[in-house]
């Protein structure tokens, strides 16, 4: 079931082209959000276009505009900054005042003039505040009848502020040129393709940020979406495509990761007392796994769960050394094959935890052998191995090697 709810837009219908157009009218309330019940987001955009003979709805730029902007915000979105912005300098927070009035009259609908009497404030002042609350989707306000209807968002925002319910910080901002739409809704699949997305925070407490590529993202039912690009999860940065964010489970299935870059916290500190980060010099390639952003019931991050984010590998992955010394170590036969690995506390792990079990393949210099990659002094991933008493065969038995094997970016 899909519905868009907004009462204040101007509606145009072209009989010849069968095209519906929704644009803001002159009222300040026409800037109010749309409620998208299928994807569970509120939406702000400049113009809606739909040819009723086709199965696509376009959310796009206004007429004669060179840029289009749109915002898609989770129904469970909350930030303290927004709470304070709504409060302004009012004696009683407007959301609290409306909640209290609702409790007194025991109705979600009320007359703005009567509410002004309850607040003991000038009617014009109260009406103006109600208009701004309607813009943000906390209420519906019919200027003609002077009637207000309270939305669930108002009660949820108060509960989130009091810490009584979980919430999220997911807000997707789209900015496009006039040659591109901000979003296209395919009515046959109900997928909504959102373009022009620079970055999106899915968890500010766990520092998980998405940077979709130029293809944008495809939103599915209840805030699930597919995308390709970059996922920053604490000190891990994943680059790939075929990535699927699941809202209910609050995780990202990483179906195809080309590379993983890692950083770690050193013992040195900057002028603000924060630990200085250093980069691991090797990348891990060809990963598949799941990134658990936070506990599904802690999307807000208000509960202290330091083990998140968690990466859970599903298949083997690889560390190559073909970028060293102008490439004598070819990746097709010289690499370290990592067993599927899991790692937690991605935003706060210790360097000693960078350990990866697997098998070393050395282009037949040695037979393959198992070892553990660790962080070396040159910030590369490598290992040291003591050979057995009988040594290790060299070049498929042409000789034996008896010294210690030391592998890092130094060679």
């Amino acid at each position: 079931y899909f519905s868009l709810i907004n009462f204040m837009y101007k509606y145009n219908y072209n009989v010849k082209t069968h095209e519906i157009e929704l644009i803001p009218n002159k009222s300040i309330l026409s800037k109010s959000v749309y409620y998208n019940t299928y994807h569970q987001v509120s939406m702000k955009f400049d113009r809606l276009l739909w040819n009723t003979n086709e199965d696509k709805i376009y959310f796009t730029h206004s007429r004669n505009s060179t840029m289009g902007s749109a915002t898609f915000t989770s129904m469970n979105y909350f930030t303290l900054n927004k709470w304070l912005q709504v409060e302004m300098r009012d004696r009683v927070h407007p959301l609290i005042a409306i909640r209290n009035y609702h409790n007194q009259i025991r109705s979600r609908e009320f007359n703005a003039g009567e509410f002004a009497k309850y607040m003991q404030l000038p009617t014009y002042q109260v009406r103006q505040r109600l208009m701004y609350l309607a813009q943000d989707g906390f209420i519906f306000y019919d200027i003609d009848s002077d009637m207000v209807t309270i939305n669930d968002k108002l009660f949820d925002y108060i509960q989130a502020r009091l810490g009584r319910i979980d919430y999220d910080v997911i807000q997707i901002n789209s900015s496009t040129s006039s040659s591109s739409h901000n979003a296209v809704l395919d009515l046959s699949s109900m997928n909504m393709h959102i373009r022009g997305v620079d970055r999106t925070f899915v968890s500010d407490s766990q520092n998980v940020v998405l940077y979709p590529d130029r293809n944008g993202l495809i939103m599915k039912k209840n805030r699930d979406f597919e995308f390709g690009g970059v996922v920053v999860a604490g000190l891990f940065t994943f680059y790939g495509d075929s990535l699927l964010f699941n809202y209910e489970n609050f995780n990202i299935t990483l179906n195809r990761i080309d590379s993983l870059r890692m950083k770690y916290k050193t013992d040195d500190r900057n002028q603000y007392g924060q630990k200085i980060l250093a980069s691991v010099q090797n990348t891990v390639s060809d990963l598949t796994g799941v990134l658990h952003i936070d506990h599904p019931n802690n999307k807000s991050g208000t509960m202290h769960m330091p083990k998140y984010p968690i990466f859970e590998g599903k298949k083997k992955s690889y560390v190559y050394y073909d970028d060293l010394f102008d490439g004598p170590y070819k990746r097709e036969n010289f690499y370290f094959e990592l067993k599927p690995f899991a790692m937690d506390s991605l935003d706060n792990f210790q360097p000693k935890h960078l350990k990866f079990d697997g098998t070393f393949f050395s282009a037949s210099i040695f037979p393959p052998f198992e070892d553990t990659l660790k962080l070396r002094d040159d910030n590369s991933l490598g290992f040291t191995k003591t050979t057995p008493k009988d040594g290790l065969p060299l070049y498929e038995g042409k000789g034996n090697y008896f010294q210690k094997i030391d592998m890092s970016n130094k060679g």
Side-chain angles (χ1 to χ4, degrees):
Y1 178 74
F2 173 81
S3 63
L4 285 176
I5 303 171
N6 184 298
F7 299 123
M8 299 304 300
Y9 268 55
K10 182 179 179 181
Y11 175 94
N12 296 325
Y13 178 66
N14 189 312
V15 177
K16 292 183 179 179
T17 63
H18 304 283
E19 187 173 77
I20 292 173
E21 178 188 49
L22 294 182
I23 56 175
N25 60 27
K26 295 180 180 180
S27 169
I28 189 174
L29 293 182
S30 67
K31 297 179 181 180
S32 302
V33 297
Y34 279 83
Y35 282 104
N36 177 333
T37 56
Y38 182 84
H39 299 100
Q40 284 293 295
V41 294
S42 61
M43 304 165 55
K44 276 192 175 184
F45 49 84
D46 298 326
R47 185 166 57 131
L48 180 151
L49 295 174
W50 178 31
N51 187 313
T52 55
N53 291 330
E54 300 178 359
D55 58 2
K56 289 181 171 56
I57 296 177
Y58 300 92
F59 308 99
T60 190
H61 56 85
S62 57
R63 296 176 184 175
N64 304 318
S65 176
T66 58
M67 296 290 293
S69 61
T71 303
F72 306 86
T73 304
S74 168
M75 291 288 201
N76 297 98
Y77 178 87
F78 172 86
T79 66
L80 180 58
N81 284 341
K82 184 63 180 179
W83 175 270
L84 296 175
Q85 179 185 338
V86 172
E87 183 177 25
M88 298 180 68
R89 296 183 178 179
D90 288 356
R91 176 172 49 87
V92 180
H93 194 290
L95 302 187
I96 298 293
I98 292 175
R99 193 267 321 260
N100 292 345
Y101 188 57
H102 157 268
N103 292 342
Q104 177 174 307
I105 65 173
R106 299 189 179 280
S107 174
R108 284 201 176 201
E109 296 185 1
F110 59 86
N111 178 271
E114 293 300 317
F115 179 60
K117 293 178 183 177
Y118 166 81
M119 292 296 295
Q120 297 180 351
L121 291 171
T123 303
Y124 77 89
Q125 182 179 334
V126 169
R127 284 173 177 157
Q128 185 179 49
R129 296 294 283 125
L130 291 174
M131 289 181 187
Y132 285 109
L133 293 178
Q135 270 191 321
D136 289 326
F138 294 109
I139 60 172
F140 286 127
Y141 181 28
D142 186 334
I143 296 178
D144 294 333
S145 65
D146 208 26
M147 292 298 295
V148 175
T149 303
I150 305 174
N151 292 328
D152 288 342
K153 181 178 178 178
L154 185 143
F155 298 111
D156 290 344
Y157 231 72
I158 295 172
Q159 293 293 87
R161 179 67 182 95
L162 296 175
R164 294 175 179 170
I165 62 171
D166 194 22
Y167 59 86
D168 64 61
V169 296
I170 300 174
Q171 186 174 72
I172 300 169
N173 296 304
S174 165
S175 180
T176 60
S177 65
S178 58
S179 61
S180 179
H181 304 294
N182 293 105
V184 180
L185 175 63
D186 187 333
L187 295 175
S188 60
S189 65
M190 295 308 299
N191 290 339
M192 184 163 61
H193 190 173
I194 304 174
R195 300 186 176 95
V197 181
D198 180 24
R199 69 174 183 176
T200 297
F201 280 90
V202 291
S203 174
D204 53 2
S205 58
Q206 302 294 1
N207 191 26
V208 177
V209 191
L210 314 182
Y211 295 85
D213 60 24
R214 67 178 61 183
N215 294 319
L217 55 86
I218 298 175
M219 182 168 286
K220 299 175 178 293
K221 187 176 183 179
N222 190 24
R223 293 157 286 193
D224 290 355
F225 54 82
E226 293 179 355
F227 67 104
V230 180
V231 177
V232 177
L235 301 173
F236 273 34
T237 302
F238 302 90
Y239 299 81
D241 53 22
S242 296
L243 313 177
L244 177 60
F245 171 74
N246 184 290
Y247 182 82
E248 284 298 323
N249 297 331
F250 212 48
N251 62 26
I252 302 173
T253 300
L254 309 169
N255 289 313
R256 189 163 55 238
I257 296 296
D258 297 326
S259 62
L260 161 64
R261 295 187 178 275
M262 297 170 284
K263 295 181 179 180
Y264 66 93
K265 294 181 179 180
T266 68
D267 293 329
D268 299 323
R269 295 182 181 271
N270 60 22
Q271 59 182 333
Y272 304 106
Q274 301 166 326
K275 287 191 173 183
I276 296 174
L277 301 182
S279 297
V280 177
Q281 295 304 304
N282 304 91
T283 61
V284 180
S285 300
D286 306 325
L287 287 88
T288 299
V290 178
L291 176 67
H292 302 277
I293 300 166
D294 208 326
H295 191 280
N297 295 329
N298 191 41
K299 296 179 176 69
S300 59
T302 52
M303 292 185 285
H304 184 58
M305 295 187 174
K307 71 175 183 178
Y308 288 97
I310 301 170
F311 172 72
E312 179 187 2
K314 297 297 186 181
K315 294 183 179 179
K316 297 175 182 178
S317 52
Y318 304 88
V319 172
Y320 299 109
Y321 298 91
D322 55 337
D323 56 346
L324 303 178
F325 315 118
D326 297 323
Y329 303 129
K330 304 301 182 184
R331 65 170 50 205
E332 58 265 22
N333 55 24
F334 194 99
Y335 55 88
F336 196 98
E337 180 184 86
L338 280 61
K339 295 178 181 179
F341 66 92
M343 192 165 178
D344 61 24
S345 308
L346 297 187
D347 59 344
N348 198 34
F349 61 83
Q350 300 296 318
K352 64 182 180 181
H353 295 147
L354 288 172
K355 294 181 179 180
F356 307 97
D357 295 330
T359 304
F360 181 55
F361 293 83
S362 59
S364 298
I365 299 174
F366 303 109
F369 58 80
E370 292 189 353
D371 214 300
T372 300
L373 282 186
K374 300 177 181 178
L375 185 66
R376 303 299 306 278
D377 292 339
D378 63 349
N379 283 349
S380 68
L381 294 176
F383 61 87
T384 58
K385 180 178 179 63
T386 302
T387 56
K389 291 182 180 179
D390 297 334
L392 277 178
L394 271 174
Y395 296 105
E396 300 179 331
K398 294 178 181 178
N400 269 17
Y401 183 79
F402 296 91
Q403 303 298 316
K404 181 175 70 173
I405 300 174
D406 190 328
M407 185 66 204
S408 69
N409 277 13
K410 295 178 181 177

